[in-house]
């Protein structure tokens, strides 16, 4: 563990993935990237967002052996079952691309109890070293984390009482040189995949 912050709860972990695992995720996802989207808080649908200029793709749950292995590793590190996690999403930020300050949890009126409920945590793995820029910033906590290949941050923002931590607002600063690759796993309260 590189560092731990309590409010908001942010763990900074080293060597979560090997260099080879990072390279393989990038290679497998490159041809499947699409412009990243955001959730529309009015309709609940997805739309392009001016504050999110990356490209992304999502693997299906346990799509391939590498993804399943990473999902199990994240489950061990967070204590949440792999089934509580959304599909592993790969993010690519080119020069000048960013994700402006935002929350990862859903507005309470948009939480779908049939699909795992509220998001409670995010596990973000850096898949490359960024030449310049691309830091993950938690402005309310004064935290700035420089992407390092294979390292990760895990932050938690909802408790069992449904209370949401607004200190968890965060952003991905613009890439100033090179590009940024990351893998994100959003964790829900309950199993997403079970049928009721």
């Amino acid at each position: 563990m590189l560092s731990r912050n309590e409010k908001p709860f942010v763990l900074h972990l080293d060597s979560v993935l090997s260099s080879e695992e990072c390279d393989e995720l990038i290679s497998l996802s490159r041809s499947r990237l699409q412009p990243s989207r955001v959730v529309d808080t009015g309709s609940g649908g997805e739309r392009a967002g001016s504050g999110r200029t990356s490209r992304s793709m999502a693997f299906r749950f346990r799509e391939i052996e590498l993804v399943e292995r990473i999902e199990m590793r994240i489950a061990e590190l967070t204590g949440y079952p792999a089934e509580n996690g959304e599909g592993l999403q790969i993010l690519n930020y080119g020069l000048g691309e960013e994700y402006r300050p935002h929350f990862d949890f859903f507005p309470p009126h948009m939480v779908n109890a049939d699909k795992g409920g509220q998001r409670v945590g995010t596990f973000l793995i850096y898949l490359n070293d960024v030449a310049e820029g691309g830091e993950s910033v938690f402005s309310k906590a004064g935290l700035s984390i420089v992407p390092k290949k294979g390292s990760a941050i895990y932050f938690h923002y909802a408790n069992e009482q449904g209370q949401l931590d607004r200190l968890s607002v965060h952003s991905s600063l613009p890439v100033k040189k090179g590009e940024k690759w990351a893998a994100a796993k959003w964790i829900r309260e309950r199993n997403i995949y079970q049928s009721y």
Side-chain angles (χ1 to χ4, degrees), residues 8-196:
F9 179 80
V10 183
L11 277 183
H12 188 192
L13 305 164
D14 201 13
S15 305
V16 172
L17 294 188
S18 69
S19 180
E20 294 73 23
E21 287 172 322
C22 292
D23 293 345
E24 194 173 346
L25 280 179
I26 291 172
S27 169
L28 289 167
S29 62
R30 194 180 290 275
S31 66
R32 293 168 63 178
L33 294 171
Q34 300 285 335
S36 298
R37 300 177 72 76
V38 297
V39 174
D40 186 296
T41 54
S43 70
E46 291 190 349
R47 61 172 176 80
S50 60
R52 188 181 192 196
T53 51
S54 60
R55 295 184 306 148
S56 57
M57 62 76 63
F59 289 101
R60 292 184 312 281
F61 183 57
R62 296 181 173 155
E63 182 173 326
I64 53 173
E65 192 275 332
L66 171 67
V67 168
E68 183 172 9
R69 192 167 71 233
I70 293 168
E71 287 168 341
M72 295 311 294
R73 197 172 304 160
I74 291 170
E76 286 170 24
L77 288 166
T78 63
Y80 282 93
E83 292 76 13
N84 288 33
E86 298 176 29
L88 188 69
Q89 187 170 101
I90 308 300
L91 307 160
N92 175 231
Y93 295 84
L95 203 59
E97 293 184 334
E98 64 179 327
Y99 197 169
R100 290 189 193 140
H102 64 283
F103 297 105
D104 282 358
F105 55 74
F106 298 120
H109 72 277
M110 290 177 50
V111 174
N112 187 336
D114 293 340
K115 292 189 176 167
Q118 179 62 275
R119 284 179 175 171
V120 294
T122 299
F123 201 95
L124 182 73
I125 308 166
Y126 301 108
L127 301 180
N128 73 321
D129 295 322
V130 181
E132 191 180 342
E135 296 91 347
S136 299
V137 171
F138 293 81
S139 55
K140 301 245 193 252
L143 281 178
S144 178
I145 293 146
V146 175
K148 177 179 175 244
K149 188 174 186 177
S151 70
I153 53 174
Y154 169 54
F155 51 105
H156 200 267
Y157 37 76
N159 64 21
E160 289 77 20
Q161 288 78 47
Q163 295 167 314
L164 301 171
D165 187 354
R166 301 193 70 79
L167 293 177
S168 69
V169 63
H170 59 285
S171 57
S172 178
L173 295 188
V175 173
K176 294 180 180 171
K177 196 184 288 180
E179 62 178 344
K180 174 182 176 179
W181 287 88
K185 176 65 101 174
W186 289 290
I187 301 163
R188 304 273 187 108
E189 296 171 278
R190 295 182 296 282
N191 186 327
I192 298 171
Y193 306 97
Q194 68 190 24
S195 52
Y196 285 83

